[in-house]
Every structure is written in C-alpha cells, then in structure tokens.
Amino acid sequence: MTGKIKGIYKVVKEREMEIGNPTDVRHVAHIGMDHSSTIEPSWMNEFKIGSDNTAKPTDMKFSWKVVALMLFLFHSRNRFCLAEESDSGSASTLPKGQESCAGIFLRYNFLSREKEYPRLKNATAQSWAFNSSVTILNMGTTELKAWKIFIRFQYNEILVSADGAVLTNSADFPAPVGNGTYLAGYPQTDLETSIDTANDLEKIQAKIKLKGTQFGLRSPKNPMPRTLRLANDGYRCPSPTHRGSSMYLCCVKDSKLKANKTTKFLPRQKGDLLIAYDVTQAYVNNYLVEITIENKHALGRLDHWNLTWEWTRGEFIDKLKGAYVRELDVSDCLNGKAGNYYDGMDFSSVLNCQKRPILFDLPPTKANDTQMGKIPYCCRNGTILPTTMDGTKSKSVFQMQVYKLPPDLNRTVIYPPQKWKIVGVLNPDYKCGSPIRVDPTKFPDPAGLEAVKPAIASWQIVCNISRPTKGNFRCCVTFSAYYNKSVIPCDTCACGCQDELKCNPSKQAMLLPAEALLVPFNNRSKKAIAWATIHHFKIPKPLPCGDNCGVSVHWHVSSVYKQGWAARMTLFNWRRLNFENWFTALQFKKAGSGFQKMYSFNATLLSKLNNTIFVQGIEGMNYLIGLTNGSNPDKDPAVPGKLQSVVTFKKKAGLDIAKGYGFPSKVFFNGEECAIPSRIPISSVVRFSVNLSTLFVCKIASFLLIQHLN
C-alpha cells in the first residue's frame, strides 16, 4: 500500500472500533456504495443528507477523510468493473503510451532460453536455445497487405522455426540470421483494420513464434535483437523502445509518399525474374493453375531450369502439361493424409506427392504432344533468354492440376506454395520472395474473340539476381597484354576449392605462360613452376589451388595504335556440357563507349546499360562445345571447347590503355557474373624505364663521390 492508502485504512479501522462491530475494508466499501444498508455507524453522521437534498454536516472534523475514502473506493470499484466488462483485446496488452498508435504496432518479446549441448566453458562458444514472439497489430485505418518485417539479430542466431511466418528469401530452416532476416506472413498475409472488422484480433493482428539458437551471451543478459521494423513500402518506423525483455515501436504511413490508387490487391512488383501463379479453374477439392516464368533482366538467363517449392497444406500434383517432375513419387500420398481422405482415388496416375517437388521444362520434341505439350511458350528444354537476345524466348509456361486436403475444401480457399527456388546450368543465382496476391491476370478469350477472361486468383513471385560471393563464382576471367609476357590467371579458388590439403587456398595464383591457358588447371603446375624459375618469380609451398571454374573468358590487349586499340576475347569451356546460343557481356569503366566492331561474333553496344557490350555467336559459332579427351588420353590432357574473336575500339582522349583502362571491370557469361582477377598486367616498358632512371642516378652519384675523393 502507498502512504495515502495506509492513512485511509487507519481511519476506517478507527471508525470500526467505534461501532463495536469490526469489518474489513470490503464491508466499508459496501456500506459506502449501498445506501439501503441497515448498518449506519456513528461516523456516517458526519455527512448526512437532509430532506431538502442538501448536505448537513454534523461534524466536519473528518469530512475530508471520508470524502477521500469514498472517492478511492468508488474509483477502485469502477476500475474493477471496467476490467471485467472490457474485452481481452489489444488495449489491455499494449505497453503504456502505445494506445495512441495510429499505424502498425510491432512488439518483440523474449520468452525464455536454455543451454544447449555441448556445455562449454567458453561463453562465446556456448549455444543457447531461445524462444521469442513477435506481434504485428494494425491500429491504423488502412489495410496492411502482404506484411513483412525485418529483425536485425546480433548474436549469431540460427532460426529453427517461425510459426506464423516464412523467410522471404525462401531459405530452409535452420537458417543463419545473425546479420538480420526478413519475415513475411503466412498463412495470414494481410492485416485488416479494426474499423472494418469491429476490432477482430484474428483479422487485425498476427503473431509469430520464433525458436532458434544463439551464441555468445552469459545467463543474466537479455538476448534481444538490435532493431525491429516494418519492411513494407510507404511506412516510417522509429527506433524501437526497449523495456527489459521486450521492444516495441509504432510505424506510421509516410506522408511524403503519394498514395497509390486503392485496389483490392497489391500492385505487381518489378524484378529480374517474375513467376505468375494464376488459378484458372477452381473446384471444391482441386484447382487448375497456370505458371509463367518470365525473364525481365537484360543479362539474365536460365538453361535447363529446375523449379521447386514447398507445399504447406498437404497438396499434391495430379497432372502436368508443358513441364514434368523429376520423380514420380506418390509414397507421401499413400502413407499420409491424402491416402486416407481420397481412399477411392487411383494414385498410380498421380504424378507427385512430395512436399518439395522438382519440375523441369520439356524438350522441343514434346511441343505438339496432346497429353504433355500444346502449351504456348513450353517445351524449350529449359532455356529462357533475355529480351536483349530474343524476346520471343524470354518466358516458359506450364499448367498443373493440384488437389487439396481438409480444411481447405472450398472453391475460394487456395494457398500458393512457399519457398520458391529456380536454378539453371551456369546461370545467375536467383533469390525468390514469398508469393504476394495481385490483381487477377487477364487471359485472351479461348474462343478467339476480342474479350478477356480474368483468372480466379493470381499470385506473383519476384526473383532477383544475387551477386556471387568469393569462392561461389562459376566462371572467371584471365588477363594478358602485348606489353607483358605473363598471363594473369583466375584468382585462387575463384569458383571454390574441393581439396585444400594438397594446395594453398589463400596464396595468390602464379603467373603463367600463354600456352598454359589450353591446359586444365589441374595440369598447370609444371608449366607454372618452370615459368617462375625462368623469370625468377617466388614459388610458394604448397602451390596455390586452382580456380575450379567451369568457363573462363580470356581478355588480351593485343595492340594500341593512333586511332584506337584492339583486343582478343577467347572463351574456354572446361565442362563436359555444351553451351548452345551462348552470350557474353562486357562492361568497362570508361573505354566501353568507344566500341567499334567484333569480327567473329555479333556484338551490340547497350549504351543505356552502363555501356555494356553484348556478345553472342553467329550461326556456326553459337555452339560452345564441352571438354573433350586429348588425342592420347594416357599422355595428353583434356581439351577445352574454345571460341575466339578480335574486337576494336576507338581511342578516347585521356585514357591510357596500358594502365588498365583496356580491361573490363565486369564480365558475364550466360548471365552469370564471372570472377575478375585482383590484378592487371604491368607494362614492362614502364618497369624498365624506372630501373634505367635509377641506374642513371646511381652512376651520377658514384661519379661525384669519386671526384670528391680525388
């Protein structure tokens, strides 16, 4: 009790002693609130109500105490009544001061943690299992569509599960999130407003239960994230407020941004690769969907694509047209819920029941097959070209029939699969987001009339190209020039290292003679050592590892003349796989705009794309064959596939080609960015002139010293 309450309590006790019938405070509260009570102690005469409804105090000595007591009891009872009558809604659970939030309220609560095995003495290496929750509550007047949040963790966390959300990068659990992660809502993707739902928490609020592992904290500390925010466009979020094991904030609409036209669904997003999931027919327990994969990047590409996702509600694929599955596996249906529910179905005709099916494109020979083909834009052997190369081959389409399970047996209850991934052969690395509901796609009327037929429901999956990190490239570049005899090879382990016990992955790659470029990197050691011995280069022990890249692009600056300069580009294929309709893209820091002509390939300068030179093979040279055995496999190494062309440039004022401007800063092969060497050839003329100058200065100094001594 506070001091004021204790004083009131003392007065009550004193008055109880006067009437000789002690009661507790609850009885006094009853007396004070019920005028029909027969109990009327003498101290109640201090404040009587006369017949004229006026107060007639008989003794004002304790009147202020009585009034204070009555106000306290009345206020307390009203509070108790309000607590009983109010709904167990958000207002009673919000932190103090957040009731005024007029936007999206976010709260992170750390719940518990415990030590994991093994138990270590080193606190930074000890792992802890933690549980936490995140609440997203729409307290504004605008519906929040396809909500997503960002949590910046800071203790090398590994997220094991997220009940109520999915990772937006389509990664699988467990997922390392030590540098932060984006989470999107699933299955509840949208948060309606309190006004439209009469404060229905199930529709305006989403809760995520997080479970994971973290490192580097001692027991007393609270392992809270560094920050938390809403990741949807058009919202401003302040820094969160920290209160012990909780952090919260209120994100509001950005008044500086123009409000978009209000639609039922989100507008379609832009990206490097767009996947459309359009439901064209819907029944009680199954639906027909058309999936479109469309390339929107000028340098993006896919060859022999493989597409996969994760069914989250027990769905399975019954039929396919325009694509096929890698495995005809129905065991999950026969041994699971689908087999119990569809007990009369013939599962021998079902294509796939896996939770993570893998689909691929059909070969051109199936294009006119009435059972598997007859779908526009299908059956191209998994090749999706950029629009800069061929706009008619920039997308793939296929259809499939999907069966559902309870409780989703309704025509309108459709959930798209999650965790979309698509990969190709030596192609860019695409990272796909979660499906977002968009306005239904409008298809041409099947009757051929000037009418459109909208899809029943449409979702969009946006995939963007991620730049390879060190050691994860799949192609690389080598440099050489007419003014230096050595070739600078690809960086050590540019595309990863398989066996680091026999070589050094951290040493710089050794310089090579030109003829070594025709030898696989596993057989270059003798040539590299001989070249280093001749030119007195340092030979590291153990020798550096190879680059292990499937394709290498060699760039040789061949000459510089008055009007311009020339180079030679060579493609090497170190894989057994052949590349049909290949392309290469070159970007220079300053010299690219001076491009004139490429003689053996088709080349175009894309001035709006950072002056990129887009190169593709002409008929007869658009096929880069794979690695083949030598004439004598016992003695001769394998021979790579090779194509070559000369390219010329105009000389631009102020650009010294010998100082590095003649080498590309970025090189792409079939959309995949290649690893660039960390150094460029140095002019031996410059090095010789420096040595000659030094020698001349030394001779003058020696002459003056001799004269002085004489």
Side-chain angles (χ1 to χ4, degrees):
M1 294 185 182
T2 62
K4 186 179 293 185
I5 295 175
K6 287 181 178 179
I8 296 173
Y9 184 79
K10 183 178 180 181
V11 172
V12 172
K13 285 297 183 183
E14 291 175 353
R15 294 308 181 186
E16 287 175 349
M17 296 300 294
E18 291 181 8
I19 64 175
N21 184 22
T23 60
D24 58 10
V25 177
R26 289 174 294 176
H27 186 58
V28 175
H30 174 73
I31 296 171
M33 299 302 296
D34 189 359
H35 296 291
S36 64
S37 174
T38 58
I39 300 176
E40 189 178 83
S42 60
W43 62 276
M44 287 295 290
N45 292 327
E46 295 175 0
F47 208 79
K48 287 279 188 176
I49 304 296
S51 60
D52 56 352
N53 293 329
T54 59
K56 294 182 179 181
T58 59
D59 185 3
M60 297 300 295
K61 183 177 180 181
F62 297 100
S63 61
W64 67 272
K65 296 181 179 179
V66 175
V67 172
L69 173 63
M70 301 300 291
L71 289 175
F72 168 73
L73 295 173
F74 179 76
H75 177 67
S76 300
R77 177 162 178 171
N78 280 344
R79 287 185 62 187
F80 298 150
C81 292
L82 286 173
E84 292 172 359
E85 294 173 359
S86 65
D87 186 18
S88 58
S90 61
S92 61
T93 60
L94 291 177
K96 185 178 180 181
Q98 288 301 313
E99 296 84 355
S100 59
C101 177
I104 308 300
F105 177 74
L106 277 73
R107 181 174 61 185
Y108 180 98
N109 284 332
F110 169 74
L111 302 177
S112 64
R113 70 171 184 157
E114 61 179 347
K115 276 188 177 183
E116 293 179 338
Y117 299 108
R119 304 293 173 85
L120 304 174
K121 295 182 180 180
N122 186 355
T124 58
Q126 177 63 54
S127 62
W128 295 77
F130 74 92
N131 292 278
S132 60
S133 66
V134 182
T135 302
I136 305 98
L137 176 63
N138 187 357
M139 303 179 69
T141 58
T142 305
E143 182 180 2
L144 180 62
K145 299 175 182 178
W147 65 264
K148 55 183 178 180
I149 61 172
F150 175 74
I151 307 177
R152 183 174 290 281
F153 293 100
Q154 56 179 335
Y155 298 111
N156 297 323
E157 285 86 349
I158 299 173
L159 205 58
V160 176
S161 65
D163 186 14
V166 293
L167 297 169
T168 59
N169 62 357
S170 299
D172 294 325
F173 293 117
V177 295
N179 293 325
T181 186
Y182 287 88
L183 294 170
Y186 186 82
Q188 186 179 3
T189 58
D190 304 333
L191 298 179
E192 300 181 52
T193 66
S194 177
I195 298 171
D196 295 335
T197 62
N199 203 36
D200 188 347
L201 282 180
E202 292 186 358
K203 297 180 179 179
I204 69 174
Q205 178 180 265
K207 290 186 176 181
I208 310 173
K209 295 181 180 179
L210 300 178
K211 185 178 181 180
T213 296
Q214 58 188 192
F215 296 86
L217 276 180
R218 297 184 182 276
S219 266
K221 294 185 178 179
N222 287 326
M224 298 292 291
R226 184 172 299 172
T227 188
L228 170 72
R229 63 178 171 86
L230 186 70
N232 292 70
D233 295 332
Y235 283 88
R236 292 185 295 105
C237 296
S239 298
T241 301
H242 293 259
R243 291 288 184 271
S245 60
S246 178
M247 59 192 297
Y248 54 87
L249 68 155
C250 178
C251 300
V252 297
K253 280 278 190 179
D254 191 347
S255 58
K256 296 181 180 179
L257 296 177
K258 294 182 179 179
N260 295 327
K261 183 180 178 181
T262 304
T263 58
K264 189 175 181 181
F265 305 107
L266 284 174
R268 294 179 182 270
Q269 308 294 311
K270 295 181 179 179
D272 297 331
L273 188 77
L274 303 180
I275 302 176
Y277 194 85
D278 299 312
V279 178
T280 56
Q281 298 178 25
Y283 306 96
V284 174
N285 63 348
N286 71 90
Y287 62 89
L288 188 69
V289 62
E290 182 169 295
I291 299 176
T292 304
I293 310 168
E294 191 169 5
N295 187 5
K296 292 293 185 179
H297 194 277
L299 301 178
R301 175 172 176 153
L302 282 166
D303 291 284
H304 305 282
W305 57 258
N306 284 268
L307 178 66
T308 185
W309 58 69
E310 181 178 304
W311 296 115
T312 58
R313 307 184 73 84
E315 299 95 333
F316 60 91
I317 303 172
D318 183 48
K319 292 181 177 61
L320 273 168
K321 290 192 73 175
Y324 212 60
V325 290
R326 288 291 179 192
E327 292 187 34
L328 302 175
D329 187 358
V330 296
S331 58
D332 288 351
C333 285
L334 296 175
N335 302 319
K337 295 181 180 179
N340 294 330
Y341 182 77
Y342 296 103
D343 54 352
M345 178 180 284
D346 180 13
F347 282 99
S348 63
S349 61
V350 173
L351 284 182
N352 187 278
C353 294
Q354 292 176 322
K355 189 175 183 179
R356 298 292 300 270
I358 300 176
L359 284 75
F360 66 97
D361 194 16
L362 295 174
T365 55
K366 295 292 184 180
N368 294 321
D369 191 302
T370 55
Q371 297 294 326
M372 304 178 68
K374 292 290 184 180
I375 300 292
Y377 303 103
C378 87
C379 313
R380 291 173 176 168
N381 216 19
T383 296
I384 302 178
L385 301 177
T387 54
T388 51
M389 190 172 181
D390 190 344
T392 63
K393 297 180 180 179
S394 61
K395 64 180 178 180
S396 287
V397 179
F398 64 93
Q399 296 176 350
M400 67 178 180
Q401 187 178 22
V402 180
Y403 272 81
K404 304 182 293 182
L405 291 176
D408 300 335
L409 300 182
N410 191 303
R411 294 176 185 270
T412 60
V413 179
I414 298 174
Y415 293 94
Q418 298 289 322
K419 298 183 180 180
W420 290 70
K421 293 182 181 179
I422 188 166
V423 296
V425 179
L426 204 80
N427 293 139
D429 185 17
Y430 291 95
K431 298 295 184 183
C432 300
S434 300
I436 58 172
R437 187 77 180 269
V438 294
D439 290 326
T441 303
K442 295 180 179 179
F443 296 96
D445 183 34
L449 302 175
E450 292 185 4
V452 294
K453 183 179 180 180
I456 295 173
S458 295
W459 285 266
Q460 184 189 46
I461 299 95
V462 179
C463 305
N464 290 310
I465 295 174
S466 61
R467 188 178 185 275
T469 56
K470 185 178 180 181
N472 293 320
F473 290 88
R474 284 175 283 188
C475 64
C476 64
V477 180
T478 58
F479 287 155
S480 65
Y482 68 92
Y483 49 77
N484 195 306
K485 295 181 180 180
S486 297
V487 171
I488 296 179
C490 300
D491 284 347
T492 306
C493 299
C495 301
C497 279
Q498 299 174 351
D499 187 3
E500 299 180 2
L501 299 177
K502 298 179 181 180
C503 59
N504 193 330
S506 59
K507 285 293 183 180
Q508 192 176 58
M510 297 177 64
L511 299 178
L512 300 172
E515 66 270 14
L517 291 176
L518 292 170
V519 180
F521 46 80
N522 291 330
N523 304 95
R524 292 178 183 175
S525 299
K526 292 182 179 180
K527 289 185 176 293
I529 294 174
W531 189 254
T533 303
I534 294 172
H535 295 277
H536 307 288
F537 299 148
K538 186 177 180 180
I539 301 175
K541 293 182 180 180
L543 294 176
C545 299
D547 54 74
N548 297 294
C549 294
V551 171
S552 60
V553 181
H554 181 64
W555 185 262
H556 174 75
V557 177
S558 56
S559 62
V560 177
Y561 45 93
K562 186 176 182 180
Q563 292 81 16
W565 59 284
R568 185 169 61 248
M569 185 183 75
T570 309
L571 304 177
F572 294 96
N573 184 4
W574 302 102
R575 302 186 61 174
R576 299 285 179 179
L577 180 70
N578 301 323
F579 292 101
E580 185 179 359
N581 292 324
W582 58 268
F583 77 82
T584 301
L586 308 167
Q587 291 181 1
F588 294 80
K589 290 182 178 179
K590 294 183 178 180
S593 59
F595 168 74
Q596 281 185 312
K597 185 178 180 180
M598 189 165 281
Y599 291 85
S600 299
F601 305 142
N602 285 329
T604 305
L605 179 64
L606 305 177
S607 56
K608 294 183 179 180
L609 191 65
N610 298 326
N611 288 323
T612 299
I613 303 172
F614 188 85
V615 184
Q616 55 184 318
I618 60 177
E619 187 175 356
M621 297 189 70
N622 60 347
Y623 202 82
L624 182 59
I625 64 173
L627 191 72
T628 57
N629 293 330
S631 56
N632 186 350
D634 296 332
K635 297 181 180 180
D636 301 332
V639 180
K642 181 171 70 73
L643 291 174
Q644 189 178 87
S645 178
V646 174
V647 55
T648 57
F649 294 82
K650 293 180 181 178
K651 184 182 288 186
K652 297 181 66 177
L655 293 184
D656 191 341
I657 302 302
K659 288 186 178 180
Y661 289 105
F663 297 96
S665 58
K666 285 187 178 182
V667 176
F668 300 83
F669 180 81
N670 278 1
E672 169 82 4
E673 184 175 350
C674 302
I676 297 289
S678 54
R679 47 186 173 158
I680 60 173
I682 300 174
S683 174
S684 58
V685 176
V686 175
R687 185 167 61 245
F688 176 73
S689 63
V690 172
N691 293 338
L692 188 62
S693 301
T694 305
L695 182 61
F696 179 74
V697 171
C698 291
K699 285 188 175 182
I700 294 295
S702 300
F703 176 76
L704 293 176
L705 181 61
I706 292 172
Q707 291 293 328
H708 178 72
L709 293 175
N710 292 336

